[in-house]
Amino acid sequence: MNPFRLRSHLAALLLALMPAWALAQLAPAAPAASAPLTAGVPAPGAVTDGPIKGYAVVIGGALKGDNEDVWRRLVELSGGKGSRWVIFGTASQTPDKTARRLADLLELRGATAEIVPVAPQLKWVDLERAVRDPSLLELVNNAQGIFFSGGAQERIIDTFSPGGRPTPMLQAIWGVYQRGGVIAGTSAGAAVMSTVMFRDALSVLNVMKGQLRDGKEVDRGLGFVGPNLFVDQHFLKRGRFGRMLPLMMARGYKLGLGIDENSATVVQGDMVEVIGAKGALLVDLREARTDAKIGAFNVQGARLTYLDRGDRYDLGLHKIMPSARKLRGTRLQAGTPEFKPEFLREAYYTDMLGDSTIYNAMAELIDSKQNESRGLAFDPKAAPSEAVADLGFSFRLYKGKDSVGWYSDELGADEYTVSSLYLDIAPVRIARPMFTPWTSR
């Protein structure tokens, strides 16, 4: 067994046996009440005396063990071979097994990875003591990298920032980040990177229909990417741009970043770089509008940019930097002499929230002679008794004067980077029943 992991288990065991009076000496005074849930509030546990020097690596979930682009970059960012990592399986249903796998994958790339047993599913651990244990805090303070596993993100929040009150362990994690360390998280571990996060909102359509309650679908995050950027995960695979837009509008976010599975974004300051197998969708609402009189979710002029692996984006300058591979490929911009579109048909998508549909729609439109494409989303299984059972949404994706893309097949597959397409979403009434049996006349 890794000596560090053995020490971690022993430390947690000693902590569980510690008398209450000793624990009281370790616990800092708690704030009287938790802060309101709003975008722009200071991140819980954040160290605010100086700029953040570290890296937030937001992994979209389903990260494969052979994804060298992500695993090796994690080790490189933390100082290379021999760098120390602390693994939290806190979100997982099986934290020991999950954390051990993550530790093994980091060690395979030359890091030293150590498991800290702080998780609600470890019933033998007293969480209130563990997040204040000096020996465990020392392990965190000496790390160059922190990794949060996938699972249920509410377990991370409720453990490290219960009621919005940062624990000493969360403060230690922030210290690692400010000093130049790496904070990485996959799936649930990625969800907590925003100041506001989705806590439990599995149905994208329900969020679009207005189900967006504090403490239910929405909660505080840990805020590692700062107060002005919202992030989400499993993004293109699960059509989650549909739930991102209502949350961003409700919480006042102007920029959102959705990372697809087996992919990651490296965020340092305003700079975002996409690594891994696929890409990320950047949602920009700075010029978007909505009509409150309609009485249901709607938006006009949401700007969408798809960043493929290797691409970078400056959030402060709102500037895209395609990868060298894309720049060697084909530039795609309607109205230019060199534009020779691949797609000619008008596209219509019957499920805009389907698996990677929004990416496919963006890639096809930027490489098309058409100026727009349309689609629909609704719940065919909605119970007739549901108050908004017949509520669906129509989508219009269209080009603007600044819409541009890049195409490459250098790696053997069609790959697109797409900048500044625009999206309108309008509520529509779905007929019930939608269809009747065909009969001959």
Side-chain angles (χ1 to χ4, degrees):
M1 176 180 287
N2 185 312
F4 179 85
R5 298 181 195 171
L6 179 59
R7 293 197 305 271
S8 299
H9 284 281
L10 290 175
L13 182 59
L14 291 172
L15 183 64
L17 299 175
M18 186 179 293
W21 64 264
L23 174 63
Q25 303 302 311
L26 300 176
S34 58
L37 176 58
T38 57
V41 298
V47 182
T48 57
D49 55 343
I52 300 297
K53 299 178 181 178
Y55 302 85
V57 181
V58 190
I59 305 167
L63 180 60
K64 295 182 179 179
D66 62 355
N67 191 327
E68 295 296 327
D69 197 18
V70 174
W71 290 110
R72 291 195 182 279
R73 180 65 69 85
L74 288 172
V75 175
E76 290 171 2
L77 292 174
S78 61
K81 291 187 177 182
S83 58
R84 291 188 175 187
W85 280 78
V86 163
I87 313 298
F88 289 103
T90 310
S92 177
Q93 182 67 24
T94 55
D96 274 341
K97 179 180 178 181
T98 299
R100 187 172 299 110
R101 176 180 177 273
L102 295 171
D104 289 343
L105 289 168
L106 284 167
E107 289 184 340
L108 186 63
R109 278 78 183 185
T112 299
E114 309 180 359
I115 299 169
V116 176
V118 178
Q121 300 308 104
L122 297 175
K123 302 305 182 183
W124 54 274
V125 174
D126 185 327
L127 291 179
E128 291 188 7
R129 296 184 178 188
V131 295
R132 293 167 170 79
D133 174 32
S135 62
L136 297 182
L137 294 177
E138 182 181 4
L139 296 177
V140 174
N141 284 326
N142 290 332
Q144 287 87 48
I146 308 291
F147 199 115
F148 290 100
S149 79
Q153 50 261 39
E154 59 266 27
R155 292 175 183 149
I156 299 175
I157 298 303
D158 295 346
T159 298
F160 294 102
S161 185
R165 297 182 294 272
T167 60
M169 186 159 286
L170 179 56
Q171 292 170 336
I173 292 168
W174 267 98
V176 172
Y177 188 33
Q178 188 189 26
R179 291 190 297 271
V182 181
I183 307 295
T186 182
S187 192
V192 303
M193 294 282 186
S194 299
T195 301
V196 177
M197 71 172 194
F198 279 111
R199 180 181 177 94
D200 185 10
L202 298 180
S203 172
V204 172
L205 268 172
N206 282 350
V207 173
M208 296 183 72
K209 290 180 178 184
Q211 193 167 304
L212 199 61
R213 302 163 292 180
D214 289 353
K216 298 291 186 180
E217 289 78 23
V218 188
D219 205 343
R220 300 171 188 85
L222 299 182
F224 295 115
V225 297
N228 300 318
L229 178 66
F230 177 75
V231 297
D232 203 358
Q233 24 72 35
H234 296 284
F235 199 74
L236 300 174
K237 179 73 175 178
R238 302 183 186 180
R240 285 182 168 176
F241 76 97
R243 75 178 192 177
M244 175 184 277
L245 286 162
L247 183 144
M248 288 178 64
M249 294 172 68
R251 297 295 185 259
Y253 280 102
K254 297 302 181 184
L255 294 175
L257 189 64
I259 301 93
D260 204 18
E261 294 184 350
N262 200 27
S263 308
T265 57
V266 179
V267 182
Q268 187 185 40
D270 285 338
M271 189 59 64
V272 172
E273 180 185 2
V274 180
I275 60 176
K278 298 180 182 178
L281 185 69
L282 180 74
V283 177
D284 184 340
L285 298 184
R286 288 175 298 146
E287 300 174 2
R289 308 171 306 283
T290 188
D291 186 350
K293 298 191 296 293
I294 291 178
F297 171 70
N298 66 94
V299 65
Q300 302 85 44
R303 185 197 302 255
L304 305 184
T305 292
Y306 177 76
L307 303 169
D308 199 20
R309 51 182 173 171
D311 296 338
R312 294 186 297 156
Y313 192 90
D314 190 313
L315 298 169
L317 299 177
H318 306 287
K319 179 182 179 182
I320 187 171
M321 288 156 276
S323 67
R325 184 175 70 258
K326 292 296 176 56
L327 294 177
R328 289 191 296 267
T330 305
R331 192 172 188 271
L332 304 167
Q333 188 168 25
T336 59
E338 66 273 16
F339 182 58
K340 296 178 175 57
E342 176 73 17
F343 301 100
L344 305 178
R345 69 181 180 92
E346 291 187 22
Y348 193 92
Y349 302 89
T350 56
D351 182 11
M352 283 294 288
L353 302 180
D355 181 355
S356 300
T357 301
I358 188 63
Y359 164 73
N360 293 332
M362 292 176 67
E364 182 167 335
L365 182 59
I366 202 65
D367 201 0
S368 169
K369 74 171 187 177
Q370 307 297 332
N371 289 318
E372 67 175 44
S373 58
R374 293 180 178 266
L376 190 67
F378 62 96
D379 185 0
K381 298 181 180 179
S385 59
E386 182 185 335
V388 287
D390 56 351
L391 176 58
F393 297 90
S394 92
F395 298 76
R396 175 180 173 244
L397 185 68
Y398 54 98
K399 296 174 182 175
K401 293 181 179 179
D402 54 348
S403 299
V404 60
W406 293 265
Y407 166 81
S408 172
D409 60 358
E410 189 173 306
L411 298 182
D414 293 338
E415 293 184 321
Y416 287 88
T417 294
V418 183
S419 177
S420 298
L421 289 179
Y422 294 84
L423 179 68
D424 295 349
I425 302 177
V428 295
R429 189 176 301 277
I430 301 297
R432 301 233 176 231
M434 286 192 62
F435 59 87
T436 56
W438 177 269
T439 56
S440 60
R441 295 179 179 178

